[in-house]
Amino acid sequence: MATQATATAQHRRFSFLRIAIALQTLTIFVQAVSAGLLFTTTYGEVLHDVGARVMYGASMLYVLAAVLAWKPGGGSPRPIWYATGFLALASAQVAVGIAHMSSVHIPLGVLMFGLSVLALARQGQPDHQGRVRSTR
């Protein structure tokens, strides 16, 4: 019975981690859309600015979810490194965005979106026993 309770708690932690990665991926995608609106509408700049703050918050939430998935369950700390890397990329993205360095800002955004989709896909892969893997 205790094993089942532990498995359920562990599943919840990994679900939170998946939700955090999905939210981050979605916010990065919305940033790409708002970047297009930035050039075509009058409200695009405000939307992109607000979206940047939400995306940065989603990156911080990913770090929190990775720590919560690791600490109580004793799993691999690898997701913490991934989440911390995303937070560093998000910080760089904000800095080059404020500096209006589009030649760096746009490719970095594409890289972040690709890496976020990859992290999300890796969270949903089953391991060799058919269970959904939480870390790689």
Side-chain angles (χ1 to χ4, degrees), residues 13-14 65-80:
R13 282 192 299 274
F14 295 135
V67 169
L68 291 176
W70 165 72
K71 189 63 175 165
S76 172
R78 188 171 289 179
I80 297 171

Side-chain angles (χ1 to χ4, degrees), residues 4-134:
Q4 185 179 7
T6 303
T8 303
Q10 188 175 16
H11 177 70
R12 266 191 231 120
R13 282 192 299 274
F14 295 135
S15 292
F16 181 51
L17 184 59
R18 269 185 244 138
I19 289 168
I21 296 171
L23 179 64
Q24 174 183 274
T25 305
L26 178 65
T27 59
I28 293 171
F29 179 75
V30 168
Q31 280 300 92
V33 171
S34 70
L37 292 173
L38 180 72
F39 297 114
T40 59
T41 64
T42 56
Y43 59 87
E45 185 176 356
V46 173
L47 191 61
H48 196 67
D49 184 50
V50 170
R53 296 167 201 278
V54 173
M55 185 274 304
Y56 197 78
S59 295
M60 289 190 287
L61 182 67
Y62 179 25
V63 172
L64 176 66
V67 169
L68 291 176
W70 165 72
K71 189 63 175 165
S76 172
R78 188 171 289 179
I80 297 171
W81 290 109
Y82 293 155
T84 304
F86 272 108
L87 188 58
L89 286 174
S91 298
Q93 183 72 331
V94 169
V96 297
I98 290 171
H100 299 286
M101 298 173 61
S102 296
S103 61
V104 177
H105 187 71
I106 293 170
L108 185 56
V110 171
L111 175 69
M112 288 177 63
F113 180 71
L115 290 175
S116 193
V117 168
L118 181 63
L120 184 60
R122 290 179 79 170
Q123 279 296 312
Q125 289 180 342
D127 65 6
H128 66 280
Q129 294 176 349
R131 295 178 301 213
V132 173
R133 176 179 7 199
S134 63

